[in-house]
Amino acid sequence: MKRRSKSFEFHFTMILYDLFKTILVFLIATTFALCLQEADVMNDNIFGVYMLAVAITSSITSGYFWGIVASFCGVVGVNFFFTFPYFALNFTLAGYPVTFGILLLMSILTSALTAKVKQAAILSSIREKRAESLNSMSKALLSANNIDEIMQITIDSVYAANQCSAVLYIGSPVSPEKKVTKYVNEKDELILESILEQQVAEQAFQKGEMTGLGTEKTSQNCLGTYIPFSNKDRIYGVLGLLFSKNGYIENDALQFANFMTSQTILAIDRQEIVDESQKILLEKEKENMRSNLLRAISHDLRTPLTCILGSTATLMENRSMLQEDVCDRLLSDIHHDAEWLIQMVENLLSVTKISGEGTKLKKQEEVVEEIVAESVAKIQKRFPSSQIRVRVPDELLLVPMDAMLIEQVLINLMENAIRHSGTAKPFYLTVKHLWHHVYFSVLDQGIGIEEERLPHIFDGTTSSKSSDSSRGLGIGLPICKTIISAHGGEIYAKNNENGGANFTFVLPMKGEVEHVQQTEDTGCRR
């Protein structure tokens, strides 16, 4: 009711405004005609002034009505001011009724023609703007990357083209998969969100036909118009429009909005094809990763197991013939290979932890120095003779991470430095804080990495060419990459200029701004 009351007030104001313009033009035309008569100019063509007034009135007012009113006033004005007896109405003069009828008909035709030209100009301007909106919409849809962007572009384009409130549903309007809205005012939001409007929108979705105000299938008290966007096989959703007023502009707008929905359908179909292609590509990458991991597992499991079997067979069959130091060495090799297998099992468990369907990392802020210390302690327990130089900043660094997985990465990298560097020289574990990230680096002073291996060292597709054929880098590095990627970081490898390999991974810091503020407040310096 409030909306109808507001609409009535708006139309009443427009009527008064058009009436004022009509009276003003009539007074100006009459004054001008009286001046011409006083100057003895155009005495026989005074009605031409009123014809001009009729054309002007038709062009500055809405519809045909005021032009017809101006036509009638013009004929009466000629009779009252410029026909003898002056300043009196007299339609009984010989031949005057015919003249009156002809002049009235001419003025009405002029009014109608002017109104049509005006209406055509308005429609042309509106269609031109809508064509521009459609062109902009098409270009924007080409760059859209997901369904949400497509919906937002559509609703913005519809709003800009029609200047009306709009709602866009994907799926059933009663329980939509996605929904986006844009309202002219808060009252329109209350209307389009009402149960009645949603039910009308649901009818459009179920039947695949346009329903609502301005259509053949309208419902009592319904104020919105609902356009389903669909093709022969599928109904995607519904576009709802709420106009401030009715008329030829709205009817034309419905046709144009229907055409805009066809662009949306094409964009959605294109996006679904892209998503499906990306899904297939992702599955292919996962399958490649599985193949690489299986290949690496088969290589790295077979070698230590063969060594264990060989050593145990030797001990079982020839123990009485072997010297004690030889037996100790064989037992040490067995122990060493068993530790390697345990490390591989831990790596595989790490992969299952972060690659399960629907699994998310449980990250919390950890002190970097503690994670580094724990990793170094574990690696020194396994390799007591290793020489590790640790460098960490004096400041307290907090990084969101899964502590166990990051320790696993550090242990893998340090173990690779011990096993594959080809030297007993110390290696370095360094931590640096740059901007909003923390850099962890493991640097050795060994033989480095073959150049041809560097681009593929984290995908597990190559094997080592070093003399240590009993071990490859195996699945450790691919798992490191998987863990760091799951943390939103990066990992890379390169050779140092002075020899040796450098493995670095980067983790983003959370709450960097707050941390900087606290540091400044306490007067600390980095």
Short mmCIF file of all heavy atoms in Angstrom, two decimals, residues 38-86:
data_model
loop_
_atom_site.label_atom_id
_atom_site.label_comp_id
_atom_site.label_asym_id
_atom_site.label_seq_id
_atom_site.Cartn_x
_atom_site.Cartn_y
_atom_site.Cartn_z
N GLU A 38 -0.49 43.70 -32.53
CA GLU A 38 -0.32 45.13 -32.25
C GLU A 38 0.66 45.76 -33.23
O GLU A 38 0.50 46.91 -33.64
CB GLU A 38 0.20 45.30 -30.81
CG GLU A 38 0.25 46.73 -30.34
CD GLU A 38 -1.13 47.33 -30.18
OE1 GLU A 38 -2.11 46.55 -30.03
OE2 GLU A 38 -1.23 48.56 -30.22
N ALA A 39 1.67 44.98 -33.65
CA ALA A 39 2.65 45.47 -34.61
C ALA A 39 2.18 45.29 -36.04
O ALA A 39 2.93 45.57 -36.98
CB ALA A 39 3.98 44.76 -34.40
N ASP A 40 0.97 44.77 -36.21
CA ASP A 40 0.39 44.55 -37.53
C ASP A 40 1.24 43.59 -38.37
O ASP A 40 1.52 43.83 -39.53
CB ASP A 40 0.21 45.88 -38.26
CG ASP A 40 -0.77 45.75 -39.43
OD1 ASP A 40 -1.56 44.76 -39.42
OD2 ASP A 40 -0.72 46.58 -40.34
N VAL A 41 1.68 42.51 -37.74
CA VAL A 41 2.51 41.50 -38.40
C VAL A 41 1.79 40.15 -38.31
O VAL A 41 1.32 39.77 -37.22
CB VAL A 41 3.91 41.41 -37.76
CG1 VAL A 41 4.73 40.31 -38.45
CG2 VAL A 41 4.61 42.75 -37.86
N MET A 42 1.72 39.38 -39.36
CA MET A 42 1.13 38.04 -39.39
C MET A 42 -0.31 38.02 -38.89
O MET A 42 -0.73 37.09 -38.19
CB MET A 42 1.98 37.06 -38.53
CG MET A 42 3.36 36.81 -39.07
SD MET A 42 4.30 35.68 -38.00
CE MET A 42 3.28 34.20 -38.17
N ASN A 43 -1.09 39.03 -39.21
CA ASN A 43 -2.47 39.05 -38.73
C ASN A 43 -3.28 37.88 -39.25
O ASN A 43 -4.21 37.40 -38.58
CB ASN A 43 -3.13 40.37 -39.13
CG ASN A 43 -2.55 41.55 -38.34
OD1 ASN A 43 -2.02 41.35 -37.26
ND2 ASN A 43 -2.65 42.75 -38.90
N ASP A 44 -2.94 37.43 -40.46
CA ASP A 44 -3.72 36.34 -41.07
C ASP A 44 -3.20 34.94 -40.68
O ASP A 44 -3.80 33.94 -41.08
CB ASP A 44 -3.70 36.47 -42.59
CG ASP A 44 -4.38 37.76 -43.06
OD1 ASP A 44 -5.29 38.21 -42.32
OD2 ASP A 44 -4.00 38.27 -44.12
N ASN A 45 -2.10 34.88 -39.96
CA ASN A 45 -1.50 33.58 -39.62
C ASN A 45 -1.20 33.45 -38.13
O ASN A 45 -0.21 32.87 -37.72
CB ASN A 45 -0.20 33.38 -40.42
CG ASN A 45 -0.45 33.31 -41.91
OD1 ASN A 45 -1.08 32.39 -42.40
ND2 ASN A 45 0.04 34.31 -42.63
N ILE A 46 -2.09 34.07 -37.34
CA ILE A 46 -1.90 33.99 -35.89
C ILE A 46 -1.96 32.55 -35.40
O ILE A 46 -1.27 32.15 -34.46
CB ILE A 46 -2.96 34.86 -35.17
CG1 ILE A 46 -2.69 36.34 -35.43
CG2 ILE A 46 -2.96 34.59 -33.67
CD1 ILE A 46 -1.36 36.82 -34.90
N PHE A 47 -2.79 31.75 -36.09
CA PHE A 47 -2.94 30.36 -35.64
C PHE A 47 -1.62 29.58 -35.74
O PHE A 47 -1.40 28.61 -35.03
CB PHE A 47 -4.03 29.64 -36.43
CG PHE A 47 -4.43 28.34 -35.81
CD1 PHE A 47 -5.22 28.31 -34.67
CD2 PHE A 47 -3.99 27.14 -36.34
CE1 PHE A 47 -5.58 27.10 -34.09
CE2 PHE A 47 -4.34 25.94 -35.76
CZ PHE A 47 -5.15 25.92 -34.62
N GLY A 48 -0.71 30.03 -36.62
CA GLY A 48 0.60 29.38 -36.73
C GLY A 48 1.39 29.47 -35.44
O GLY A 48 2.15 28.56 -35.10
N VAL A 49 1.20 30.60 -34.69
CA VAL A 49 1.88 30.73 -33.40
C VAL A 49 1.39 29.65 -32.44
O VAL A 49 2.17 29.02 -31.73
CB VAL A 49 1.65 32.14 -32.81
CG1 VAL A 49 2.27 32.24 -31.42
CG2 VAL A 49 2.20 33.20 -33.74
N TYR A 50 0.06 29.42 -32.46
CA TYR A 50 -0.49 28.40 -31.57
C TYR A 50 -0.11 26.99 -32.02
O TYR A 50 0.03 26.08 -31.20
CB TYR A 50 -2.01 28.55 -31.48
CG TYR A 50 -2.43 29.72 -30.62
CD1 TYR A 50 -2.79 30.93 -31.20
CD2 TYR A 50 -2.44 29.62 -29.23
CE1 TYR A 50 -3.16 32.02 -30.42
CE2 TYR A 50 -2.82 30.69 -28.44
CZ TYR A 50 -3.16 31.89 -29.04
OH TYR A 50 -3.53 32.94 -28.25
N MET A 51 0.05 26.82 -33.33
CA MET A 51 0.53 25.53 -33.81
C MET A 51 1.93 25.24 -33.27
O MET A 51 2.26 24.12 -32.86
CB MET A 51 0.55 25.52 -35.35
CG MET A 51 -0.83 25.55 -35.98
SD MET A 51 -1.68 23.96 -35.90
CE MET A 51 -0.72 23.05 -37.09
N LEU A 52 2.76 26.28 -33.26
CA LEU A 52 4.11 26.13 -32.70
C LEU A 52 4.04 25.83 -31.20
O LEU A 52 4.79 25.00 -30.68
CB LEU A 52 4.90 27.41 -32.96
CG LEU A 52 6.33 27.44 -32.38
CD1 LEU A 52 7.17 26.34 -33.01
CD2 LEU A 52 6.98 28.82 -32.63
N ALA A 53 3.10 26.50 -30.52
CA ALA A 53 2.93 26.25 -29.08
C ALA A 53 2.50 24.81 -28.82
O ALA A 53 2.93 24.18 -27.85
CB ALA A 53 1.91 27.23 -28.51
N VAL A 54 1.62 24.29 -29.70
CA VAL A 54 1.19 22.90 -29.56
C VAL A 54 2.38 21.95 -29.70
O VAL A 54 2.54 21.00 -28.92
CB VAL A 54 0.11 22.57 -30.60
CG1 VAL A 54 -0.15 21.06 -30.66
CG2 VAL A 54 -1.18 23.30 -30.28
N ALA A 55 3.23 22.21 -30.70
CA ALA A 55 4.42 21.35 -30.91
C ALA A 55 5.36 21.41 -29.71
O ALA A 55 5.89 20.37 -29.25
CB ALA A 55 5.15 21.78 -32.18
N ILE A 56 5.55 22.61 -29.17
CA ILE A 56 6.44 22.76 -28.00
C ILE A 56 5.85 22.04 -26.79
O ILE A 56 6.56 21.34 -26.06
CB ILE A 56 6.68 24.25 -27.69
CG1 ILE A 56 7.45 24.91 -28.84
CG2 ILE A 56 7.41 24.43 -26.37
CD1 ILE A 56 7.61 26.42 -28.69
N THR A 57 4.54 22.22 -26.57
CA THR A 57 3.89 21.55 -25.43
C THR A 57 4.02 20.04 -25.54
O THR A 57 4.30 19.35 -24.55
CB THR A 57 2.41 21.95 -25.37
OG1 THR A 57 2.30 23.37 -25.25
CG2 THR A 57 1.71 21.28 -24.20
N SER A 58 3.82 19.49 -26.72
CA SER A 58 3.91 18.04 -26.91
C SER A 58 5.32 17.52 -26.64
O SER A 58 5.49 16.39 -26.17
CB SER A 58 3.48 17.67 -28.34
OG SER A 58 2.13 18.05 -28.57
N SER A 59 6.30 18.35 -26.94
CA SER A 59 7.69 17.91 -26.79
C SER A 59 8.18 17.97 -25.35
O SER A 59 9.08 17.22 -24.96
CB SER A 59 8.62 18.74 -27.67
OG SER A 59 8.61 20.11 -27.27
N ILE A 60 7.60 18.88 -24.52
CA ILE A 60 8.10 19.04 -23.15
C ILE A 60 7.20 18.38 -22.11
O ILE A 60 7.50 18.41 -20.92
CB ILE A 60 8.28 20.53 -22.80
CG1 ILE A 60 6.94 21.26 -22.82
CG2 ILE A 60 9.28 21.19 -23.73
CD1 ILE A 60 7.02 22.71 -22.38
N THR A 61 6.09 17.77 -22.55
CA THR A 61 5.21 17.06 -21.62
C THR A 61 5.16 15.59 -21.99
O THR A 61 5.70 15.18 -23.02
CB THR A 61 3.78 17.65 -21.65
OG1 THR A 61 3.28 17.60 -22.99
CG2 THR A 61 3.78 19.08 -21.16
N SER A 62 4.52 14.80 -21.14
CA SER A 62 4.48 13.35 -21.35
C SER A 62 3.16 12.95 -21.99
O SER A 62 2.09 13.41 -21.58
CB SER A 62 4.65 12.62 -20.01
OG SER A 62 3.68 13.04 -19.07
N GLY A 63 3.22 12.11 -22.98
CA GLY A 63 2.02 11.55 -23.60
C GLY A 63 1.34 12.50 -24.58
O GLY A 63 1.84 13.57 -24.94
N TYR A 64 0.13 12.09 -25.06
CA TYR A 64 -0.64 12.85 -26.05
C TYR A 64 -1.59 13.86 -25.41
O TYR A 64 -1.99 14.82 -26.05
CB TYR A 64 -1.48 11.88 -26.91
CG TYR A 64 -0.67 10.93 -27.75
CD1 TYR A 64 -0.25 9.71 -27.25
CD2 TYR A 64 -0.35 11.25 -29.06
CE1 TYR A 64 0.49 8.83 -28.02
CE2 TYR A 64 0.38 10.38 -29.85
CZ TYR A 64 0.80 9.16 -29.32
OH TYR A 64 1.52 8.32 -30.09
N PHE A 65 -1.97 13.64 -24.19
CA PHE A 65 -3.07 14.38 -23.59
C PHE A 65 -2.82 15.88 -23.59
O PHE A 65 -3.68 16.68 -24.00
CB PHE A 65 -3.31 13.89 -22.15
CG PHE A 65 -4.36 14.67 -21.42
CD1 PHE A 65 -5.70 14.46 -21.69
CD2 PHE A 65 -4.02 15.62 -20.47
CE1 PHE A 65 -6.69 15.18 -21.03
CE2 PHE A 65 -4.98 16.34 -19.80
CZ PHE A 65 -6.32 16.12 -20.08
N TRP A 66 -1.65 16.30 -23.16
CA TRP A 66 -1.39 17.73 -23.03
C TRP A 66 -1.26 18.41 -24.38
O TRP A 66 -1.57 19.59 -24.53
CB TRP A 66 -0.15 17.96 -22.18
CG TRP A 66 -0.33 17.45 -20.78
CD1 TRP A 66 0.24 16.34 -20.22
CD2 TRP A 66 -1.22 17.99 -19.79
NE1 TRP A 66 -0.20 16.15 -18.93
CE2 TRP A 66 -1.11 17.16 -18.63
CE3 TRP A 66 -2.09 19.07 -19.75
CZ2 TRP A 66 -1.82 17.39 -17.48
CZ3 TRP A 66 -2.80 19.31 -18.58
CH2 TRP A 66 -2.67 18.48 -17.46
N GLY A 67 -0.81 17.68 -25.38
CA GLY A 67 -0.79 18.25 -26.73
C GLY A 67 -2.20 18.51 -27.24
O GLY A 67 -2.47 19.53 -27.89
N ILE A 68 -3.14 17.58 -26.95
CA ILE A 68 -4.54 17.77 -27.35
C ILE A 68 -5.15 18.94 -26.60
O ILE A 68 -5.89 19.77 -27.16
CB ILE A 68 -5.33 16.47 -27.11
CG1 ILE A 68 -4.80 15.35 -28.02
CG2 ILE A 68 -6.82 16.69 -27.35
CD1 ILE A 68 -5.41 14.00 -27.75
N VAL A 69 -4.84 19.04 -25.29
CA VAL A 69 -5.32 20.18 -24.50
C VAL A 69 -4.81 21.48 -25.09
O VAL A 69 -5.56 22.47 -25.25
CB VAL A 69 -4.89 20.03 -23.03
CG1 VAL A 69 -5.19 21.32 -22.26
CG2 VAL A 69 -5.61 18.86 -22.38
N ALA A 70 -3.52 21.50 -25.45
CA ALA A 70 -2.95 22.70 -26.05
C ALA A 70 -3.61 23.02 -27.39
O ALA A 70 -3.81 24.20 -27.74
CB ALA A 70 -1.44 22.53 -26.22
N SER A 71 -3.96 21.97 -28.16
CA SER A 71 -4.64 22.19 -29.45
C SER A 71 -5.99 22.87 -29.24
O SER A 71 -6.34 23.85 -29.93
CB SER A 71 -4.82 20.85 -30.16
OG SER A 71 -3.58 20.22 -30.37
N PHE A 72 -6.76 22.33 -28.31
CA PHE A 72 -8.07 22.92 -28.04
C PHE A 72 -7.93 24.35 -27.53
O PHE A 72 -8.66 25.26 -27.95
CB PHE A 72 -8.80 22.06 -27.00
CG PHE A 72 -10.20 22.52 -26.72
CD1 PHE A 72 -11.24 22.19 -27.57
CD2 PHE A 72 -10.47 23.30 -25.60
CE1 PHE A 72 -12.55 22.62 -27.31
CE2 PHE A 72 -11.76 23.74 -25.34
CZ PHE A 72 -12.80 23.40 -26.19
N CYS A 73 -6.97 24.59 -26.62
CA CYS A 73 -6.75 25.94 -26.09
C CYS A 73 -6.33 26.91 -27.19
O CYS A 73 -6.72 28.09 -27.21
CB CYS A 73 -5.70 25.91 -24.99
SG CYS A 73 -6.24 25.08 -23.48
N GLY A 74 -5.55 26.41 -28.14
CA GLY A 74 -5.12 27.27 -29.24
C GLY A 74 -6.28 27.72 -30.10
O GLY A 74 -6.38 28.89 -30.48
N VAL A 75 -7.20 26.79 -30.42
CA VAL A 75 -8.37 27.15 -31.22
C VAL A 75 -9.25 28.15 -30.47
O VAL A 75 -9.72 29.15 -31.02
CB VAL A 75 -9.16 25.88 -31.60
CG1 VAL A 75 -10.46 26.26 -32.28
CG2 VAL A 75 -8.33 25.00 -32.52
N VAL A 76 -9.46 27.86 -29.17
CA VAL A 76 -10.26 28.78 -28.36
C VAL A 76 -9.58 30.13 -28.24
O VAL A 76 -10.23 31.19 -28.31
CB VAL A 76 -10.52 28.17 -26.96
CG1 VAL A 76 -11.19 29.18 -26.04
CG2 VAL A 76 -11.39 26.92 -27.08
N GLY A 77 -8.25 30.13 -28.10
CA GLY A 77 -7.52 31.39 -27.98
C GLY A 77 -7.64 32.24 -29.24
O GLY A 77 -7.79 33.47 -29.16
N VAL A 78 -7.59 31.60 -30.41
CA VAL A 78 -7.74 32.35 -31.67
C VAL A 78 -9.13 32.97 -31.72
O VAL A 78 -9.30 34.13 -32.12
CB VAL A 78 -7.49 31.42 -32.87
CG1 VAL A 78 -7.89 32.12 -34.16
CG2 VAL A 78 -6.03 31.01 -32.92
N ASN A 79 -10.14 32.19 -31.31
CA ASN A 79 -11.51 32.70 -31.34
C ASN A 79 -11.71 33.83 -30.34
O ASN A 79 -12.39 34.82 -30.62
CB ASN A 79 -12.48 31.55 -31.05
CG ASN A 79 -13.94 32.00 -31.14
OD1 ASN A 79 -14.50 32.47 -30.16
ND2 ASN A 79 -14.52 31.86 -32.32
N PHE A 80 -11.10 33.71 -29.16
CA PHE A 80 -11.34 34.68 -28.10
C PHE A 80 -10.56 35.99 -28.30
O PHE A 80 -11.11 37.09 -28.12
CB PHE A 80 -10.97 34.06 -26.75
CG PHE A 80 -11.29 34.92 -25.56
CD1 PHE A 80 -12.59 34.97 -25.05
CD2 PHE A 80 -10.31 35.70 -24.96
CE1 PHE A 80 -12.89 35.77 -23.96
CE2 PHE A 80 -10.61 36.51 -23.88
CZ PHE A 80 -11.90 36.55 -23.37
N PHE A 81 -9.29 35.87 -28.71
CA PHE A 81 -8.44 37.06 -28.77
C PHE A 81 -8.36 37.69 -30.16
O PHE A 81 -8.14 38.89 -30.28
CB PHE A 81 -7.01 36.71 -28.31
CG PHE A 81 -6.93 36.35 -26.85
CD1 PHE A 81 -6.77 35.03 -26.47
CD2 PHE A 81 -6.99 37.34 -25.87
CE1 PHE A 81 -6.68 34.70 -25.13
CE2 PHE A 81 -6.91 37.00 -24.52
CZ PHE A 81 -6.75 35.69 -24.15
N PHE A 82 -8.56 36.89 -31.22
CA PHE A 82 -8.22 37.40 -32.54
C PHE A 82 -9.38 37.31 -33.55
O PHE A 82 -9.18 37.53 -34.73
CB PHE A 82 -7.00 36.64 -33.09
CG PHE A 82 -5.83 36.68 -32.16
CD1 PHE A 82 -5.54 35.60 -31.36
CD2 PHE A 82 -5.04 37.82 -32.07
CE1 PHE A 82 -4.47 35.64 -30.49
CE2 PHE A 82 -3.96 37.86 -31.21
CZ PHE A 82 -3.66 36.78 -30.41
N THR A 83 -10.56 36.91 -33.07
CA THR A 83 -11.73 36.84 -33.96
C THR A 83 -12.80 37.80 -33.44
O THR A 83 -13.10 37.81 -32.24
CB THR A 83 -12.29 35.41 -34.02
OG1 THR A 83 -11.25 34.52 -34.44
CG2 THR A 83 -13.44 35.32 -35.01
N PHE A 84 -13.33 38.55 -34.39
CA PHE A 84 -14.38 39.53 -34.01
C PHE A 84 -15.67 38.81 -33.65
O PHE A 84 -16.06 37.85 -34.33
CB PHE A 84 -14.63 40.50 -35.18
CG PHE A 84 -15.60 41.60 -34.84
CD1 PHE A 84 -15.16 42.76 -34.19
CD2 PHE A 84 -16.96 41.46 -35.14
CE1 PHE A 84 -16.07 43.76 -33.88
CE2 PHE A 84 -17.86 42.47 -34.83
CZ PHE A 84 -17.41 43.63 -34.20
N PRO A 85 -16.36 39.19 -32.56
CA PRO A 85 -15.98 40.24 -31.58
C PRO A 85 -14.85 39.78 -30.68
O PRO A 85 -14.85 38.64 -30.23
CB PRO A 85 -17.28 40.47 -30.81
CG PRO A 85 -17.97 39.13 -30.85
CD PRO A 85 -17.64 38.54 -32.20
N TYR A 86 -13.88 40.68 -30.44
CA TYR A 86 -12.71 40.35 -29.65
C TYR A 86 -13.07 40.15 -28.18
O TYR A 86 -14.01 40.75 -27.66
CB TYR A 86 -11.66 41.46 -29.80
CG TYR A 86 -11.20 41.64 -31.22
CD1 TYR A 86 -11.53 42.79 -31.93
CD2 TYR A 86 -10.44 40.65 -31.84
CE1 TYR A 86 -11.11 42.96 -33.23
CE2 TYR A 86 -10.02 40.81 -33.15
CZ TYR A 86 -10.35 41.97 -33.84
OH TYR A 86 -9.94 42.13 -35.13
#
